[in-house]
Amino acid sequence: MWHEYPTLAPELASALAMIEKQITTNNTPVAKAIMEMINGGGKLLRPAYCLLFSRFQDVDREKMIALAAAIETLHTATLIHDDIIDKSPTRRNQVTIQKQFGPDTAVYAGDYLFVVCFKLLSHYASSLRSIQQDSGSMEKILKGELDQMATRYQTKITIDDYLKQVSGKTGQLFALSCFIGAYESGSSPTFAKNAEKIGMNIGIAFQLLDDILDYTSDDDTLGKPVCEDVRSGVYSAPLILAMQRNRQAFLPLLAKKDQITDAEMNELRQLVIHHQGVEQAYAMAQKRTEQAIAGLQKLPAGAAQDDLIRLTQSLLNRKA
Amino acid sequence: MWHEYPTLAPELASALAMIEKQITTNNTPVAKAIMEMINGGGKLLRPAYCLLFSRFQDVDREKMIALAAAIETLHTATLIHDDIIDKSPTRRNQVTIQKQFGPDTAVYAGDYLFVVCFKLLSHYASSLRSIQQDSGSMEKILKGELDQMATRYQTKITIDDYLKQVSGKTGQLFALSCFIGAYESGSSPTFAKNAEKIGMNIGIAFQLLDDILDYTSDDDTLGKPVCEDVRSGVYSAPLILAMQRNRQAFLPLLAKKDQITDAEMNELRQLVIHHQGVEQAYAMAQKRTEQAIAGLQKLPAGAAQDDLIRLTQSLLNRKA
């Protein structure tokens, strides 16, 4: 995805190398598993936005690369812990750490990456302000996760509940990436706050697309099993929106909870598509993308603005 | 334990109240479980050392209370995650979060507390220096945990391996508590480095005592099941030292790994005691305590020094 961006590609490669240098545990299998995950073809969107938002200023690139690395590290930590919760066997077409080494190792591996993130931040951020922003965002992310756990298997979840959870999870992390890129490169606090708002819309659009792909893609393209969320009781936009059209059609299938068979899951996917759940969710993603692009269009013209608009637009068309 | 210290008790109570104010998740059962754990009669030794080491300077007490709260929050986060790994049913005579809500919730609850810790630190620390120290210590703690996982059920573990792991776990957190107390209250970097060294010895002595109690106490007094460590493959000082005397006596029992019965576990405990494992470990704890007290005796005389010496001495005589 970011390979098309010649200014971004080498910096993202440097960020990955910087993370690799930080992983110094003697537990070699775990270090290897973490690095496979880091280098496993993730989209690197969060560090990409951080780096792009730093390009409106003339700033030390190594510093920004380190902060982008911190953000990707944080993201990977949350993925490792999410995989425990979801008991996911694969991600990015690789066996997850929880599956390979057990949930125990995955707990500490995620914790370890959280710490590496704060270590990078505390060494490269210019003030306590970024750490405050970072821990404030992380707090919202974790509160979002805990709220989501409390609403698992609740068929009465509304699209507003969903949007609140998504803002608190994916939205926050994209918002943080844009904020750190802008703020730490020396842009004004107003500019940074604006970047944060744009990032929130990008993140929400991104999550909507992710949840759509869960209904329209297949395991291989996605690099992880589709519809795992439904099985574990996390109901996302396509399902919620389809249920608004015909609630009764879904209840018997959802009542099976995690005992739902693959055939029933397929039936549920077809129902979601039939009741325009995917279409409606896509319209929402489109609207959030438009809002983000409207914000980006007000930024100073130049290569950074061009790349930001192009990248944000392209996220709507992704297949995985 | 700290109730005997009139200057400390109200500040520790304030630190607990400050943590409570930070726990704002809407997931009420989890918030309640976290607070029960925080208020569950933990020894509060880490925040106590932080506060005592800050008393050599005239410093804003609210700031130091917040930093002590951050340290206890971090400690609680690691306990919640440790309980997942060890599948512990009880701690401090309460049902653990992982047992009550499942490992999933425990993962996020621990993550949430990690974040609350960094939030407090980033708002109350006076510079990035403390966050660097904090994330550096946490990195060592997590690397210690990951190393320990890699050596589970290894009967060839030496006392040096054990001491390395203990320094990286309990030692680091006590060292950090003392460092933050000294450094953030405005003592010199040399003083703070010295506090850190003293804290390391206190932490190692503390862990040795903990591991001794695992062989000499009972479930009720300890507030958690005894000898759980052995069952999960973590071999501590009393066992390692006893095995130096008669390795063959232990191998058949240890070969049962987590399938060891309660009767066999009892047999193992008796063997450890018989081969002077407890006595030798106690002698090590005594030596570390003496080293710590020798360090404390060089500090400026006064109430802070007195309390530090008295508290450190008393840790050798604890029963839980």
Side-chain angles (χ1 to χ4, degrees), chain A residues 227 231 253 256 259-271:
Chain A
C227 285
R231 205 182 290 275
L253 287 166
K256 317 231 165 195
Q259 299 302 311
I260 192 166
T261 65
D262 287 351
E264 288 162 343
M265 187 69 91
N266 201 36
E267 196 185 326
L268 187 121
R269 284 175 73 172
Q270 298 307 324
L271 269 175

Side-chain angles (χ1 to χ4, degrees), chain A residues 24 26-27 81-82 85 104 108 111 115 118-119 122 125 128 132 135 138-139 142-143 145-147, chain B residues 24 26-27 81-82 85 104 108 111 115 118-119 122 125 128 132 135 138-139 143 145-147 149:
Chain A
T24 53
N26 293 326
N27 190 325
H81 281 182
D82 286 352
I85 312 298
D104 300 3
Y108 287 144
D111 289 355
V115 169
F118 275 105
K119 202 180 152 201
S122 66
L128 283 167
Q132 288 167 6
S135 52
M138 282 180 65
E139 187 192 15
L142 267 313
K143 280 167 76 171
E145 298 282 13
L146 285 167
D147 290 359
Chain B
T24 54
N26 292 325
N27 191 325
H81 280 182
D82 286 351
I85 313 297
D104 301 3
Y108 288 144
D111 289 355
V115 169
F118 275 106
K119 204 181 151 201
S122 66
L128 283 167
Q132 288 168 5
S135 51
M138 281 181 66
E139 188 191 14
K143 281 168 73 170
E145 299 281 13
L146 284 168
D147 290 358
M149 300 219 70

Side-chain angles (χ1 to χ4, degrees), chain A residues 47-258:
Chain A
Y49 276 105
C50 173
L51 289 167
L52 287 175
F53 264 106
S54 76
R55 289 204 164 273
F56 294 92
Q57 304 291 336
D58 187 21
V59 62
D60 173 23
R61 298 313 299 166
E62 195 201 334
K63 170 185 168 176
M64 295 316 301
I65 289 166
L67 295 174
I71 285 169
E72 183 63 12
T73 306
L74 172 58
H75 173 54
T76 308
T78 64
L79 294 183
I80 292 174
H81 281 182
D82 286 352
D83 285 339
I84 303 174
I85 312 298
D86 303 334
K87 299 181 185 60
S88 307
T90 52
R91 175 178 299 270
R92 298 177 184 165
N93 283 317
Q94 293 172 351
V95 181
T96 58
I97 293 184
Q98 78 86 16
K99 181 78 185 172
Q100 207 177 342
F101 298 99
D104 300 3
T105 303
V107 170
Y108 287 144
D111 289 355
Y112 179 53
L113 288 185
F114 271 127
V115 169
V116 168
C117 162
F118 275 105
K119 202 180 152 201
L120 281 167
L121 277 178
S122 66
H123 282 276
Y124 285 93
S126 41
S127 75
L128 283 167
R129 178 74 183 84
S130 288
I131 319 264
Q132 288 167 6
Q133 184 83 16
D134 195 70
S135 52
S137 290
M138 282 180 65
E139 187 192 15
K140 286 183 194 142
I141 294 169
L142 267 313
K143 280 167 76 171
E145 298 282 13
L146 285 167
D147 290 359
Q148 193 179 71
M149 301 219 70
T151 60
R152 286 200 172 206
Y153 296 113
Q154 290 197 6
T155 59
K156 293 207 168 146
I157 182 172
T158 66
I159 193 73
D160 283 346
D161 294 333
Y162 167 84
L163 283 172
K164 213 177 131 196
Q165 285 172 5
V166 164
S167 308
K169 278 172 44 184
T170 323
Q172 273 302 326
L173 199 48
F174 274 87
L176 176 69
S177 306
C178 298
F179 176 89
I180 298 266
Y183 185 83
E184 284 287 339
S185 60
S187 286
S188 71
T190 316
F191 185 96
K193 274 283 161 201
N194 189 32
E196 189 183 3
K197 234 158 72 185
I198 294 171
M200 177 58 79
N201 275 318
I202 296 172
I204 293 174
F206 179 83
Q207 186 62 53
L208 280 160
L209 240 295
D210 237 34
D211 292 336
I212 288 167
L213 289 169
D214 216 25
Y215 286 90
T216 58
S217 190
D218 53 76
D219 293 12
D220 281 350
T221 314
L222 217 53
K224 60 182 179 185
V226 295
C227 285
E228 270 306 301
D229 274 358
V230 172
R231 205 182 290 275
S232 56
V234 177
Y235 302 151
S236 68
L239 175 60
I240 295 169
L241 294 166
M243 281 181 82
Q244 286 183 354
R245 300 276 167 106
N246 187 342
R247 185 173 160 76
Q248 294 308 320
F250 291 91
L251 292 182
L253 287 166
L254 295 179
K256 317 231 165 195
K257 296 194 172 173
D258 60 347

